[in-house]
């Protein structure tokens, strides 16, 4: 699809939008859309009229003579027309390939048949439906250029039903895969080995990540709380000195300067507590995200080396996996197209 768009873009880029050649390209694309749709319509009607269902329908409406006339006189012309149309498609594809080589639309001359594979396969009678794919691409390209080949109402409805089909198909695939995973978890123990291998494979990355997280969160928090921690520790040391009666009694035995010495000791103790707190905090605030400090690296290494062969840990992992799968399953089962349809109906009711 993207390659086809790029090819269409390159084709139009060689032509001035205001020139006659550009308009000629547009007319040609519109003509191709028309004859492809008309050809498929004729083949579809031919299939219906030549089938037993067609015979039953015309016998029911009592017009067997009309069906007999078609089968005798018009059917051979449809077959001949289809043969000529196939020849036209082959010639048209060859001319476009030649033009692509001359104008160097692609990096290699032999890229054209691979990029336009659906057009080549559509020449085969059993794969005629791919011609409609080409018509859709041309119509989409014309729509991007501002030419409404397809009416907006029809385009919106077609896009809606396309999304319905794709959503239903994708939902079935996803739900089937989720159910298969749940069945594998219920009936096999191989997932335990997979979990162990997965954890072992990512231990080093887990160490780096954990150290970086500690550096980013804990170090910053310690830096922000450092003044408060120092003050609190200093007050605790000061209060501890005050709550030591032996020291108070001893200092009061010293005449005149005893009270002064007691105050100095309390002040020194408070400052000592603050300095010790700062010294203990400093190793945990050093470093950067690119190079966490050694303390965090050591903590991360020890955590990553934990033995995961633990019954409770396995239950935790299994519970997380099961709940995750169930959550995905519930989300997938939500019909987005139904919600869009309900919203559209509500808008119509408000408009009325």
């Amino acid at each position: 699809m993207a390659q086809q768009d790029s090819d269409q873009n390159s084709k139009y880029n060689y032509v001035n939008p205001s020139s006659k050649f550009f308009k000629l390209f547009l007319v040609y694309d519109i003509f191709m859309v028309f004859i492809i749709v008309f050809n498929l319509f004729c083949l579809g009607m031919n299939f219906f009229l030549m089938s037993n269902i067609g015979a039953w329908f015309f016998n029911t409406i009592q017009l067997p003579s009309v069906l007999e006339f078609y089968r005798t006189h018009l059917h051979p012309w449809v077959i001949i027309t289809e043969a000529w149309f196939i020849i036209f498609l082959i010639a048209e594809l060859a001319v476009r390939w030649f033009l692509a080589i001359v104008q160097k639309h692609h990096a290699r001359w032999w890229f054209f048949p691979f990029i336009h594979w659906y057009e080549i396969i559509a020449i085969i009678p059993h794969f005629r439906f791919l011609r409609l794919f080409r018509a859709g691409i041309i119509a989409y390209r014309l729509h991007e250029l501002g030419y409404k080949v397809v009416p907006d109402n029809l385009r919106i409805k077609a896009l809606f039903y396309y999304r319905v089909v794709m959503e239903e198909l994708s939902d079935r695939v996803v739900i089937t895969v989720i159910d298969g995973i749940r069945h594998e978890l219920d009936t096999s123990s191989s997932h335990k080995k997979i979990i162990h291998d997965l954890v072992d494979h990512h231990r080093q990355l887990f160490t780096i990540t954990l150290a970086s997280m500690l550096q980013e969160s804990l170090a910053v928090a310690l830096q922000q709380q450092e003044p408060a921690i120092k003050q609190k520790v200093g007050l605790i040391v000061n209060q501890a000195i005050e709550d030591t009666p032996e020291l108070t009694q001893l200092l009061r035995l010293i005449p005149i300067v005893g009270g002064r010495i007691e105050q100095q000791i309390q002040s020194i103790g408070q400052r000592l507590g603050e300095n010790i707190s700062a010294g203990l905090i400093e190793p945990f605030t050093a470093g950067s995200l690119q190079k966490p400090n050694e303390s965090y690296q050591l903590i991360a290494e020890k955590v990553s080396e934990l033995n995961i062969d633990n019954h409770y840990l396995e239950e935790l992992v299994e519970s997380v996996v099961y709940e995750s799968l169930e959550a995905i399953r519930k989300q997938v089962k939500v019909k987005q197209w139904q919600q869009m349809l309900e919203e559209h109906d509500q808008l119509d009711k408000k408009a009325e």
Side-chain angles (χ1 to χ4, degrees), residues 62-197:
Q62 298 180 356
L63 290 175
S65 58
V66 176
L67 181 63
E68 184 64 26
F69 175 79
Y70 172 81
R71 291 183 174 181
T72 304
H73 297 88
L74 299 181
H75 173 67
W77 282 102
V78 174
I79 302 302
I80 294 173
T81 304
E82 171 64 8
W84 280 106
F85 188 69
I86 290 176
I87 295 174
F88 167 75
L89 289 178
I90 296 174
E92 188 258 355
L93 193 65
V95 171
R96 287 171 54 216
W97 191 356
F98 174 75
L99 292 177
I101 296 174
V102 172
Q103 297 181 353
K104 297 181 179 180
H105 287 178
H106 310 292
R108 297 290 185 273
W109 66 270
W110 44 269
F111 280 10
F112 183 88
F114 294 97
I115 295 175
H116 301 270
W117 59 270
Y118 53 89
E119 298 183 36
I120 297 174
I121 299 178
I123 296 174
I124 303 172
H126 293 291
F127 297 97
R128 296 187 185 101
F129 64 91
L130 289 176
R131 299 173 190 174
L132 192 61
F133 185 62
R134 180 188 176 187
I137 292 177
I138 296 176
Y140 177 76
R141 175 62 186 149
L142 292 174
H143 176 77
E144 283 191 334
L145 291 173
Y147 298 92
K148 295 184 178 181
V149 180
V150 181
D152 288 338
N153 293 336
L154 183 60
R155 179 181 60 83
I156 293 173
K157 289 182 179 179
L159 181 61
F160 172 75
Y161 288 113
Y162 168 77
R163 289 175 177 173
V164 170
V165 173
M166 295 304 297
E167 182 178 351
E168 291 294 333
L169 290 176
S170 61
D171 287 355
R172 286 294 94 198
V173 172
V174 174
I175 290 176
T176 301
V177 171
I178 291 175
D179 291 341
I181 295 174
R182 289 179 62 91
H183 177 73
E184 182 68 20
L185 293 175
D186 292 335
T187 58
S188 175
S189 60
S190 59
H191 64 278
K192 295 182 180 179
K193 183 178 183 301
I194 295 175
I195 293 173
H196 280 252
D197 293 342

Side-chain angles (χ1 to χ4, degrees), residues 288-301:
S288 62
L289 289 177
Q290 292 74 21
K291 189 178 180 181
N293 64 67
E294 296 180 357
S295 300
Y296 293 147
Q297 289 182 354
L298 179 61
I299 294 172
E301 289 176 1

Side-chain angles (χ1 to χ4, degrees), residues 190-221:
S190 59
H191 64 278
K192 295 182 180 179
K193 183 178 183 301
I194 295 175
I195 293 173
H196 280 252
D197 293 342
L198 186 64
V199 173
D200 292 337
H201 181 70
H202 291 85
R203 285 186 187 273
Q204 184 177 1
L205 180 60
F206 179 76
T207 301
I208 298 173
T209 304
L210 181 57
S212 177
M213 292 174 62
L214 291 173
Q215 183 69 45
E216 183 179 11
S217 57
L218 185 57
V220 174

Side-chain angles (χ1 to χ4, degrees), residues 10-24:
S10 62
K11 178 180 72 174
Y12 286 115
N13 288 337
Y14 283 104
V15 184
N16 185 357
S18 61
S19 66
K20 294 182 179 180
F21 292 101
F22 182 80
K23 296 179 180 179
L24 181 63

Side-chain angles (χ1 to χ4, degrees), residues 241-242 244-254 258 262:
I241 294 174
E242 290 181 0
T244 307
E246 295 83 1
L247 179 61
T248 303
Q249 294 173 3
L250 180 62
L251 292 175
R252 287 177 181 176
L253 295 175
I254 302 175
E262 181 180 1

